[in-house]
Amino acid sequence: MTREGNLDAPTRHPVAWRDPEFYDRDAFYKEAERIFDICHGCRRCVSLCGAFPTLFDLVDDGKTMEVDGVEKKDYWKVVDQCYLCDLCYMTKCPYVPPHPWNVDFPHLMLRGKAIKFDSGETTFRDRLLTSTDKLGKLATIPVVVKAVNWANNAPAARAAMQATLGVAAEAALPPYAPATFRETAPASLAWPARDGDRAPGRVAVFATCYVNYNEPGIGADLLKVLSHNEIPYVIVASEACCGMPKLELGDFPSVERLKNINIPVLAGYARDGYAILAAVPSCTLMFKQELPLLFPDDPDVQLVADAMFDPFEYLVLRDKDGLLRKDFTRPLGNVSYHIPCHSRVQNVGQKTREALEWIPGTSVKTVERCAGHDGTWGVKKEYFAMSMKIGKPVFRQMTQDGPDYVSSDCPIAGRRIVQGAAAEGAARARKEHPLTLLRIAYGLD
Ligand code: SF4
Ligand code: SF4
């Protein structure tokens, strides 16, 4: 007899993206109809994003009021509303494997996106926005960076970008930095590495495109926190984008190309006993969870996954090993902290909150909802309004008590929270990344 709901720990099947049937539309429709029917009977996820309300409206407006009344061409409307945050799988669904119903809604959506990409339906805008590494390299050329930052804030230029590229004119875009993190990161002092039982005593820092090109200060603050704790570090010798933006497009060939650049380098650090840290949750998740499901037969991918840590996950483990300083000198007051979806689904708990609560004179309010930006999805013209609607409860909750700081592990979500809160008329709070808050609390400049 089929059990109602799972009592076992969820497992996830590898993604069969090399199998030609993966791209077969009829096979996709058949599997989508099966899963949509289970979701129609369940409807637990209706408030998570736009994909589920789109599906349920299609069912309710159809001839039969069942999934068989939905036209197959309309399935793509559901696919387009999913930004692969993984929340439905990781936090809501009782029917994920090993339950025999085997519901993996995000991977069904990923398959749909891959079919669209494979058949050339992806737009130039989508390919451009997901080329974070190439865009960053171009935009941070010294003579270009000022012009790009000016254009990103000039209403006329933004209107032109919306008309030609489909990038929403109202969406705040992050500025590019005049110098990258990788160019400016100071070398570590040669402290002896002290390995703990739970985490290695030396760190390799994977910069990430965002920290490297947009907010190098976050990376600099991570290095200051490591230095304060006498943890020797290196900046990863060479790196490319983690591949998450390309995954969200269903562009598996690009994901594989990027993986082939990153994994041999990172596996070398893993073999040498380094913890690998990346300060953007989506990038950490890509190495920890997505690449192992895409390349299950590559032992180096698993090696890197095992050595990859969220920075706060790492710091909490160091604390448990008795190897972290807690000599905080500056209270932070009231901090509104947002835990992003891609941190939640790493299944490591709320490590950033835990660390911020160490700081005397600091009270932390945690907001655990999607802020609606979701990679490149929330800056697209056709999704911007929906994205702001999804984020609205977060914008309100983050600012309603007049906090001293608002903070999110995801720097892009942090920017969206500031934009959304301003749109809601909330008093402007100081936004800082949690690593910056830790650096401030340690009294480091
Ligand atoms: S992965 Fe996220 S965006 Fe996609 S359907 Fe699930 S909750 Fe919605
Ligand atoms: S993904 Fe799972 S929990 Fe969500 S609506 Fe579908 S069956 Fe229900």
Side-chain angles (χ1 to χ4, degrees), residues 21-33 36 75-76 79 108-109 111-112 115:
E21 201 192 61
F22 190 79
Y23 303 90
D24 182 288
R25 282 187 191 239
D26 289 335
F28 169 73
Y29 288 143
K30 193 168 165 213
E31 176 64 354
E33 185 168 1
F36 286 176
Y75 283 18
W76 303 104
V79 173
L108 176 73
M109 298 294 100
R111 183 178 179 183
I115 290 170

Side-chain angles (χ1 to χ4, degrees), residues 262-282:
N262 284 323
I263 291 297
V265 179
L266 295 179
Y269 290 107
R271 276 195 197 92
D272 289 344
Y274 283 84
I276 306 168
L277 268 53
V280 175
S282 301

Side-chain angles (χ1 to χ4, degrees), residues 12-19 256 259-260 263 271 289-305:
R12 219 160 188 187
H13 300 307
V15 180
W17 64 278
R18 294 188 200 272
D19 181 347
E256 183 171 36
K259 168 242 161 198
N260 287 341
I263 291 297
R271 276 195 197 92
Q289 195 181 99
E290 304 295 357
L291 288 179
L293 290 171
L294 296 174
F295 305 96
D297 301 326
D298 185 334
D300 279 0
V301 167
Q302 193 53 54
L303 195 64
V304 171

Side-chain angles (χ1 to χ4, degrees), residues 48-49 51-52 81-88 105-106 109:
L48 287 184
C49 64
F52 292 98
Q81 288 290 334
C82 172
Y83 35 74
L84 298 175
C85 70
D86 261 0
L87 277 194
C88 53
F105 201 92
M109 298 294 100

